[in-house]
Amino acid sequence: MRLKVLATGTIALALLVTASYLPGQLEGATNWPLAAVTLVLIAAFALGWPRLMKLSAPLPVSVVIFLVGAGSTVLGLWAPPRPSLGWVAPALAAGVILVFLTQLVRGTDATKRLESAAVGMLGLLVAAFGSGWAVLGTEPAWRSVALMAGISILAAAVPGVLRLPDRIVFPLGFVLAVLAGGAASMLHPAVQLAPALVLGAACGLVVVGSRAMLVSLGGPTGTVQMAAAALAPLLVCGSVTWYVLLLLL
């Protein structure tokens, strides 16, 4: 199952990076292939996340997660100021209200309503952060940074397939991500070594931290859960990359 999770994440990452280089501008915002791939990945994550967390009523939570992720992506691309992640916070605020409403509708006799709300809000955060990938595709120079982030993500994920304790996998994945980020800085002459190392460190922490959390929860047991497990750190790294780019480059 670990190899399948890695393969799923690698395919999703390859789709994002490839789509960012494809032509097809939409009103100067971004190319439509990248926007479409981002929305598809958010939908796959939204479908699998509540099931990965073993919620008793996953469908309403999945719908809300997708609406927030899609709203953050669309508004970030076409609503002023564009392109940006300025709509992530308003989308999350609306999503939190919707998540609580889904649990209220279930009635007082429903089980694990508080747990469902907490899992839903965490899913909202991940899905909204996924909009960062679509925003990164709006400028050619940023696409190179997205490729650098992808290399770091993959380097951090590879040790996760090893059946080793977290005290070994965690630092190993982090170090590999930092080194891969530094090496990937050679892909773009305008990117200096220090920001590339920071980008590798940030993405590496997300990946190895997500792996540790999922292992402690027992890991995925089906195809849909496997997709959510692979996509969760990948989507978060979209906004992480955007903010590193914004602050350091």
Side-chain angles (χ1 to χ4, degrees):
M1 184 61 73
R2 300 186 185 195
L3 283 173
K4 292 180 179 179
V5 172
L6 177 62
T8 302
T10 303
I11 293 172
L13 182 60
L15 288 174
L16 285 169
V17 174
T18 302
S20 68
Y21 285 91
L22 293 178
Q25 289 294 114
L26 280 178
E27 299 180 5
T30 189
N31 52 24
W32 64 265
L34 182 57
V37 169
T38 302
L39 291 174
V40 168
L41 296 183
I42 290 174
F45 168 78
L47 182 64
W49 179 253
R51 291 161 178 80
L52 178 62
M53 298 292 106
K54 299 177 174 58
L55 298 188
S56 54
L59 185 57
V61 178
S62 292
V63 172
V64 174
I65 291 175
F66 173 71
L67 289 176
V68 169
S72 299
T73 301
V74 173
L75 291 173
L77 291 174
W78 287 290
R82 64 176 188 179
S84 74
L85 297 181
W87 287 94
V88 168
L92 285 174
V96 169
I97 296 174
L98 291 175
V99 166
F100 276 110
L101 287 177
T102 60
Q103 301 310 309
L104 289 175
V105 170
R106 293 178 61 197
T108 56
D109 295 334
T111 59
K112 297 184 178 180
R113 291 199 301 171
L114 182 60
E115 177 183 344
S116 297
V119 169
M121 285 185 281
L122 181 57
L124 296 179
L125 191 65
V126 174
F129 278 2
S131 62
W133 287 109
V135 174
L136 282 171
T138 56
E139 293 291 340
W142 298 350
R143 296 168 191 169
S144 299
V145 179
L147 177 59
M148 293 165 52
I151 294 173
S152 299
I153 293 168
L154 187 59
V158 168
V161 302
L162 304 176
R163 295 189 177 276
L164 297 173
D166 280 339
R167 65 176 180 274
I168 297 176
V169 174
F170 194 102
L172 178 60
F174 175 74
V175 171
L176 288 178
V178 174
L179 294 177
S185 64
M186 295 184 293
L187 296 174
H188 199 286
V191 179
Q192 297 181 353
L193 178 61
L197 293 175
V198 173
L199 177 61
C203 292
L205 281 176
V206 172
V207 173
V208 296
S210 298
R211 180 207 178 261
M213 181 193 72
L214 293 173
V215 169
S216 67
L217 294 174
T221 58
T223 302
V224 176
Q225 296 182 16
M226 179 182 65
L231 293 175
L234 179 60
L235 291 176
V236 172
C237 285
S239 286
V240 168
T241 304
W242 164 263
Y243 284 117
V244 171
L245 175 66
L246 196 65
L247 294 174
L248 299 180
L249 297 177

